[in-house]
Amino acid sequence: MTQRRTIVLADLHLVRQTPRSVTADLAALVAAHPGARIVVAGDLFDLSSESPWMPRPRALREALSAHPIARAALAEHLDRGGELWLSGGNHDAEIGAPDFPVALTEALGLTGAARARIRTTPWFFRDGAIHIEHGHLYDPDNAPAHPLVVGERSLGVHFVEEFIAPTGAHRYLQANDQTPLRLFLSAFTWYGPRAPYVIYRYFHAAIGAMLKSGPLYRARGEATAGAAIVERFTHELGVPSAMVDALLGLAATPTLESAARTFTRLYFDRVIATLSMGAGLAALGLGAREPGAAALGLGALLMGASWASGHNRYAGTVSERLAESAGRVARTTGAKLVVFGHTHREALGDGYANTGSFSFPRAATSGRPYVEIEGSPEAPRAVSRVWNAGA
């Protein structure tokens, strides 16, 4: 029997406003691989960034209707015997909901056997020694309390819904590991007259995150709810429950579980230090020498302590975490190839591949990245590929 060709891509973040060049390239890539298994390793959609309160079936229909070329290409691919596998990501966790396949098939206009060629999972796929998932489970800022439960929003999704959605500041999806000063200055470069509103919404979202962290974090019961459906998940996926239990043990602790970690992750220490120094300088200017000097000194001390822990404490940490987690997944489950998305950065190593983002390729990439899996499921190997428009 001929091995079905497997293509893995991720992080399209498809919404109504997605540039037509992205969905045209998606349609062309799908059309160029008839009969293949197309696997989207999370974040095919990003409905929360554009219509967070719209019912998901309607938001899904509207997102696909806005891109008729991509919708037609996916439907034709499935009608002609191809497969479409979708893994839930932090921006489209609803893919794992039981009713999502029905909503998707209706949005694509599928009938008959084509419907059965869609597979969805809230977490991961296994095919022999191949393990595919989005990877956000190993990122504290985006990890859910339980990967099988669509529940309380992570810190990352909170910012998408409370900051990105109301401002349309989608460029921050690519810059979420930068320092506050750089993000502040970027607002004026990217959004011009709208920058003050963008900055206001950022701090509105940041304060909101603090107010739902630590003791106020409401997702603590989700682990119990998830445990109740693990058996059904393992049965549907055809994997032993011991594998799922082991993978759960590798998951990151959500940042919002700790108020202290949320505080430092949002660089509030530097915000307070800056305000203190500003107030000190203002007081000195008004002649209040002692309180001004005290506030300035305190602010400088706080800023020094913050910088001592690293100028940019989080740059590159997600990519490093996922690469390390891929190794642990392989050792724990016997996988010979682990494929993630999520980081928006391509990676290819011994037994690990990251697709990068199809919609947001890095400047150094001369096209849209994806991964092709060659060999057999028992002896797989990943090849990084790039789709160029007109290829």
Side-chain angles (χ1 to χ4, degrees):
M1 182 178 177
T2 303
Q3 182 68 34
R4 187 184 289 271
R5 195 173 186 181
T6 300
I7 303 296
V8 188
L9 58 154
D11 295 277
L12 280 88
H13 295 274
L14 186 65
V15 293
R16 287 172 294 182
Q17 300 304 317
T18 297
R20 298 299 181 265
S21 59
V22 174
T23 49
D25 284 345
L26 171 63
L29 173 68
V30 171
H33 297 87
R37 174 180 297 150
I38 306 292
V39 183
V40 183
D43 289 356
L44 170 58
F45 299 100
D46 197 350
L47 305 179
S48 61
S49 74
E50 187 179 52
S51 47
W53 312 121
M54 184 183 294
R56 283 299 178 257
R58 177 185 166 191
L60 179 64
R61 288 194 303 271
E62 292 194 5
L64 288 171
S65 295
H67 303 283
I69 294 177
R71 182 180 62 175
L74 290 170
E76 183 176 0
H77 178 74
L78 291 160
D79 279 334
R80 295 189 174 184
E83 294 181 0
L84 180 63
W85 291 13
L86 304 179
S87 170
N90 52 306
H91 289 276
D92 59 2
E94 59 269 14
I95 278 178
D99 59 346
F100 183 84
V102 174
L104 180 59
T105 56
E106 290 178 351
L108 291 173
L110 298 177
T111 59
R115 291 172 171 257
R117 288 191 279 271
I118 290 179
R119 286 188 64 189
T120 63
T121 179
W123 185 0
F124 66 88
F125 286 116
R126 293 287 295 209
D127 184 14
I130 303 170
H131 181 101
I132 302 174
E133 64 175 294
H134 187 55
H136 62 297
L137 184 64
Y138 313 104
D139 170 12
D141 290 348
N142 288 286
H146 195 285
L148 300 181
V149 177
V150 180
E152 182 68 11
R153 298 174 297 177
S154 66
L155 179 64
V157 174
H158 168 82
F159 266 86
V160 167
E161 295 188 358
E162 301 296 334
F163 170 54
I164 303 293
T167 62
H170 291 89
R171 294 189 69 167
Y172 283 106
L173 289 171
Q174 287 287 88
N176 56 14
D177 62 352
Q178 299 300 317
T179 61
L181 179 59
R182 184 161 185 176
L183 295 176
F184 177 84
L185 296 175
S186 296
F188 293 93
T189 301
W190 293 340
Y191 301 108
R194 290 201 304 120
Y197 176 65
V198 170
I199 293 167
Y200 157 73
R201 287 299 312 193
Y202 173 83
F203 281 103
H204 179 274
I207 293 170
M210 285 301 308
L211 294 176
K212 61 187 291 186
S213 66
L216 301 177
Y217 182 60
R218 297 181 298 177
R220 302 182 189 281
E222 291 175 12
T224 301
I229 57 178
V230 163
E231 183 176 352
R232 186 184 69 195
F233 173 74
T234 58
H235 176 74
E236 292 174 351
L237 199 63
V239 299
S241 58
M243 177 186 293
V244 172
D245 291 339
L247 288 170
L248 286 170
L250 303 179
T253 301
T255 299
L256 288 175
E257 279 199 10
S258 166
R261 283 192 289 114
T262 303
F263 183 88
T264 56
R265 176 63 184 91
L266 296 174
Y267 286 99
F268 270 124
D269 52 342
R270 293 189 191 175
V271 172
I272 291 174
T274 301
L275 292 174
S276 180
M277 289 189 293
L281 290 172
L284 288 172
L286 294 172
R289 303 179 67 178
E290 289 188 6
L296 181 61
L298 178 61
L301 182 65
L302 289 173
M303 187 66 76
S306 179
W307 275 59
S309 63
H311 168 56
N312 188 339
R313 296 194 288 249
Y314 302 101
T317 56
V318 176
S319 295
E320 293 168 4
R321 282 180 181 275
L322 263 65
E324 293 169 359
S325 296
R328 289 194 286 269
V329 169
R331 291 190 295 273
T332 301
T333 68
K336 295 182 180 177
L337 175 62
V338 177
V339 183
F340 290 155
H342 186 57
T343 66
H344 291 202
R345 292 180 176 274
E346 309 95 274
L348 185 64
D350 184 18
Y352 170 57
N354 194 294
T355 64
S357 171
F358 192 82
S359 282
F360 303 105
R362 293 183 297 161
T365 303
S366 58
R368 303 192 185 279
Y370 64 99
V371 166
E372 182 167 359
I373 299 178
E374 299 181 342
S376 68
E378 291 70 31
R381 60 183 178 276
V383 180
S384 289
R385 301 203 184 282
V386 175
W387 182 261
N388 293 298

